[in-house]
Amino acid sequence: MNDRLDGCVALVTGASSGIGEATALALAARGVRVAIAARRRDRLDALAARIVTAGGEALVAVADFADETQAARAVHETEARFGRLDILVNNAGVMYLEPVETADLGRWRHMLEVNVLGLIAATQAALPGMRERRNGHIVNISSTAGRTGNPGGAAYSATKFGVVGFSEALRKEVYKDNIRVTVIEPGIVETELREHIAHAPTQQAINTWAESMRQLKGEDIANTIVFCVSQPDHVNINEILMRPTDQER
Ligand code: NDP
């Protein structure tokens, strides 16, 4: 039986570690030609080498998604190299947790730029080609923090609720052109994400909480993304909320 993903083209943002890296590998294993984007070139080069060694095709697109021009450029580079873009996985993100009252607004502005504006800019750049070919799938990575708020996570939740709202409105704008939109809302995943929390007490609290459970792995999210994008054309999985079995909230 033919694999419907074989020969497709995907751009995975935030592919230099964690969920994005696992997703690029999982898609490549299904015959998808993958463009991998992030800021750390060394990580992307190493990942591209793994994909190519396994018989796949990969394009490294170094880009800072806090800059919407660079986010759009990653899409255009993908189209230039592979001739089209079928699947955009908007995964690049940061999680700066700290209490509202003392938060560094510069850091939160940066988080809004990456998690929301970068995702919007990449989507905007991908739509003309997808519409023209009447084929496309946009997968946006939100979080359980896009469904509920917790102390320290006010601005992170603002970005992830933003991704959920954006995704639902986007779906209504594009579904008639056979473009599908999926939003994934994972609970705790064991990645580097928490390493960038500057507020020490909050970082310690979330690390202790995460280590108290069997965390999800990047591969768990990657497998879910592959499941969503490999559905037949008439099936649009709009939203998946997934937690570690041990995670309560
Ligand atoms: P990682 O920190 O391992 O990965 C984050 C990725 O985003 C990296 O590849 C990083 O690459 C990239 N990134 C960060 N900032 C930028 C930027 N300015 N421009 C381009 N790329 C950037 O964490 P995860 O894999 O966990 O995170 C992936 C997504 O999953 C995020 O959107 C996160 O919010 C979400 N998520 C994570 C959960 C978790 O518990 N881990 C739970 C729910 C959602 P580089 O630094 O090289 O630029």
Side-chain angles (χ1 to χ4, degrees):
M1 197 181 80
N2 267 354
D3 186 336
R4 71 189 312 280
L5 291 181
D6 196 23
C8 284
V9 176
L11 167 61
V12 181
T13 77
S16 60
S17 60
I19 295 169
E21 180 181 7
T23 302
L25 286 168
L27 288 169
R30 293 285 294 266
V32 176
R33 295 174 285 164
V34 283
I36 47 179
R39 293 166 300 178
R40 288 171 292 177
R41 177 182 289 281
D42 55 335
R43 296 281 200 104
L44 295 177
D45 284 343
L47 176 60
R50 281 176 73 186
I51 290 170
V52 170
T53 303
E57 278 187 70
L59 167 72
V60 168
V62 175
D64 183 345
F65 277 65
D67 174 350
E68 56 211 56
T69 311
Q70 293 188 40
R73 198 182 62 208
V75 171
H76 296 139
E77 283 175 9
T78 308
E79 292 173 328
R81 162 77 183 269
F82 295 123
R84 61 178 205 269
L85 174 60
D86 304 301
I87 301 163
L88 170 62
V89 182
N90 277 316
N91 164 76
V94 289
M95 180 177 72
Y96 300 145
L97 305 182
E98 52 199 306
V100 174
E101 218 170 321
T102 52
D104 178 335
L105 290 190
R107 206 159 32 226
W108 277 5
R109 179 177 292 108
H110 179 252
M111 181 164 65
L112 283 154
E113 285 169 354
V114 179
N115 293 9
V116 183
L117 282 174
L119 174 149
I120 292 173
T123 301
Q124 189 180 48
L127 285 180
M130 289 180 172
R131 272 200 204 277
E132 198 181 305
R133 290 186 309 281
R134 293 190 54 79
N135 175 54
H137 201 142
I138 296 170
V139 180
N140 293 331
I141 308 303
S142 176
S143 167
T144 45
R147 296 279 292 258
T148 184
N150 284 304
Y156 183 63
S157 272
T159 70
K160 294 303 188 181
F161 271 77
V163 170
V164 173
F166 175 77
S167 302
E168 182 58 4
L170 174 70
R171 185 185 66 77
K172 291 175 182 169
E173 285 192 18
V174 301
Y175 76 94
K176 285 192 174 148
D177 287 313
N178 197 41
I179 299 170
R180 296 181 283 179
V181 179
T182 299
V183 63
I184 313 267
E185 300 151 332
I188 287 281
V189 190
E190 195 174 4
T191 69
E192 296 173 14
L193 192 71
R194 296 189 299 271
E195 291 174 14
H196 311 292
I197 300 171
H199 189 257
T202 305
Q203 187 185 44
Q204 197 176 350
I206 191 168
N207 279 341
T208 303
W209 181 57
E211 282 153 20
S212 74
M213 62 181 101
R214 294 167 294 167
Q215 301 169 55
L216 296 174
K217 309 282 181 224
E219 291 74 17
D220 299 319
I221 317 305
N223 292 339
T224 304
I225 292 170
V226 169
F227 170 75
C228 292
V229 299
S230 57
Q231 294 302 311
D233 257 11
H234 69 285
V235 179
N236 188 359
I237 298 176
N238 303 139
E239 189 175 11
I240 290 191
L241 170 65
M242 54 190 291
R243 290 185 173 89
T245 307
D246 302 332
Q247 181 177 338
E248 184 190 1
R249 61 180 161 87

